[in-house]
Amino acid sequence: MYFASDNWAGAHPDIARSLTEAADGYARAYGTSDLDKKVEHTFNEIFERDVAVFFVGTGTAANSLALASYNRPGGQVFCHAEAHVNVDECNAPEFFATGSKLVPIEGPRGKMPVEALSAAVARFSPDNVHGGQPVAVTLTQATEAGTVYELDEIAAIANVAHQKKLPLHMDGARFANALATLETTPAEMTWKRGVDILSFGGTKNGCWCAEALVLFDPGRAHEMHFLRKRSAQLFSKSRFIAAQFDAYFRGGLWLELAHHSNAMAAGLAAGIAQAKSARLAWPTGSNEVFAILRNATLRTLRDKGAALYDWPAPAEIKATMAEDETMVRLVTSFATKPEDVERFLSLCD
């Protein structure tokens, strides 16, 4: 019963096999191999336009380089208060941008309210050198709360950003899960709704170590080449990242894996909603479920081998909790089995 993180899951067999195949023989280095170029073309097909693709090793690197590419002196980047860039990346976005600052915005269930974003951006006067200058907006899809921005919500945030001539970055660590939930296309969830640059994640959805920066304006690629090299993210044997993406996309595997993990989360959420000693904190929209468990039940689950994390409850949720209750986060993955979900739920009754 491994529900601690989708990072705990291994690699899908097709992806592991592709890595083994790429290990045979010789190939050009530093992103110039035939396989690298093939996968770059696949990204163009997926997003229905020419894009610039940069392979990196981690989501933190992708997010940091994306925001660094737009930084200017006194740069202010607007994000949700619970965003990964703000609370889980050890200030890497600010480090790689050499002096930018994240401006956190509160909002329920991991989403930035458009009105709050607009007000936060408006606080910075273009002529006030003391306050710095806005340089970007970033949103997370799916969010850290397991929710998903609807397409019109993405467009509304992009509108606020673009009115101030700010680029919109999307942290897509769980991009495939959000896409599966919305039943839309990559193009519709990104550039057609105003996203300028995307951190495209594969690691949480069956890859071993595969992340990519997708620039919807290929004209900005020249600068990114230098930023990636300077940050030590230009892999000499980048064909091994390409090999993962090659298998990931082949035959729609990436969406199949995301649909599975979402389905496992939906089953988990449905069971918790009916359980005697557990309840949902809020409805899930992807592969993350937030629940409130009685402490005795939580101890039993852990004694029986369940892996999950305690999670800090927002004020409005904490006000509804009894002293003997704890809020937890449960994350499903491509490797989650229905019997794991069933066993977990049986221990909640």
Side-chain angles (χ1 to χ4, degrees), residues 229-293:
K229 176 63 176 180
R230 186 180 70 174
S231 66
Q233 286 294 314
L234 177 57
F235 288 74
S236 60
K237 296 183 180 180
S238 64
R239 70 182 184 272
F240 290 106
I241 296 181
Q244 294 174 74
F245 279 131
D246 187 41
Y248 189 60
F249 292 133
R250 192 182 306 138
L253 176 65
W254 66 302
L255 295 177
E256 177 186 326
L257 300 182
H259 277 293
H260 173 81
S261 58
N262 284 5
M264 294 297 97
L268 198 57
I272 289 171
Q274 301 297 320
K276 297 174 183 177
S277 60
R279 55 194 170 93
L280 287 177
W282 54 78
T284 187
S286 58
N287 66 318
E288 293 184 281
V289 178
F290 293 82
I292 299 166
L293 305 180

Side-chain angles (χ1 to χ4, degrees), residues 47-335:
F47 286 99
E48 304 173 38
R49 63 179 291 171
D50 287 340
V51 297
V53 181
F54 293 82
F55 300 147
V56 296
T58 69
T60 294
N63 291 337
S64 300
L65 291 176
L67 298 177
S69 70
Y70 286 99
N71 191 44
R72 300 192 304 276
Q76 308 283 334
V77 176
F78 302 88
C79 65
H80 190 274
E82 298 169 13
H84 203 271
V85 294
N86 191 45
V87 299
D88 284 307
E89 296 186 348
C90 195
N91 298 341
E94 290 136 320
F95 174 79
F96 280 98
T98 62
S100 71
K101 180 181 178 182
L102 294 171
V103 181
I105 297 170
E106 298 287 346
R109 311 297 178 259
K111 294 185 182 182
M112 281 188 297
V114 173
E115 299 79 7
L117 173 61
S118 183
V121 174
R123 289 200 301 268
F124 293 86
S125 169
D127 299 321
N128 181 14
V129 68
H130 305 289
Q133 55 183 329
V135 294
V137 176
T138 176
L139 62 80
T140 309
Q141 180 77 326
T143 76
E144 300 298 330
T147 56
V148 171
Y149 284 96
E150 299 291 337
L151 299 183
D152 59 348
E153 292 177 314
I154 297 171
I157 288 175
N159 184 54
V160 171
H162 293 164
Q163 282 180 355
K164 296 294 185 178
K165 296 183 171 53
L166 304 178
L168 177 60
H169 165 251
M170 176 181 285
D171 176 356
R174 295 185 174 93
F175 185 88
N177 298 98
L179 200 67
T181 295
L182 294 178
E183 297 183 339
T184 188
T185 68
E188 289 290 347
M189 201 171 77
T190 54
W191 63 269
K192 288 188 177 182
R193 291 299 182 277
V195 175
D196 298 288
I197 187 167
L198 166 70
S199 297
F200 183 96
T203 304
K204 294 180 186 296
N205 192 41
C207 291
W208 169 70
C209 176
E211 308 287 321
L213 264 172
V214 180
L215 283 63
F216 296 110
D217 177 6
R220 296 187 60 87
H222 179 78
E223 187 78 5
M224 186 59 72
H225 282 290
F226 289 91
L227 285 171
R228 180 175 63 169
K229 176 63 176 180
R230 186 180 70 174
S231 66
Q233 286 294 314
L234 177 57
F235 288 74
S236 60
K237 296 183 180 180
S238 64
R239 70 182 184 272
F240 290 106
I241 296 181
Q244 294 174 74
F245 279 131
D246 187 41
Y248 189 60
F249 292 133
R250 192 182 306 138
L253 176 65
W254 66 302
L255 295 177
E256 177 186 326
L257 300 182
H259 277 293
H260 173 81
S261 58
N262 284 5
M264 294 297 97
L268 198 57
I272 289 171
Q274 301 297 320
K276 297 174 183 177
S277 60
R279 55 194 170 93
L280 287 177
W282 54 78
T284 187
S286 58
N287 66 318
E288 293 184 281
V289 178
F290 293 82
I292 299 166
L293 305 180
R294 290 181 183 169
N295 293 341
T297 301
L298 181 56
R299 286 192 295 271
T300 298
L301 285 163
R302 284 180 165 143
D303 288 344
K304 297 294 184 180
L308 67 164
Y309 284 126
D310 294 3
W311 209 254
E316 71 277 10
I317 298 296
K318 193 172 184 63
T320 69
M321 293 170 56
E323 290 187 4
D324 68 338
E325 290 183 321
T326 298
M327 182 168 157
V328 300
R329 186 192 73 166
L330 307 162
V331 188
T332 56
S333 73
F334 79 95

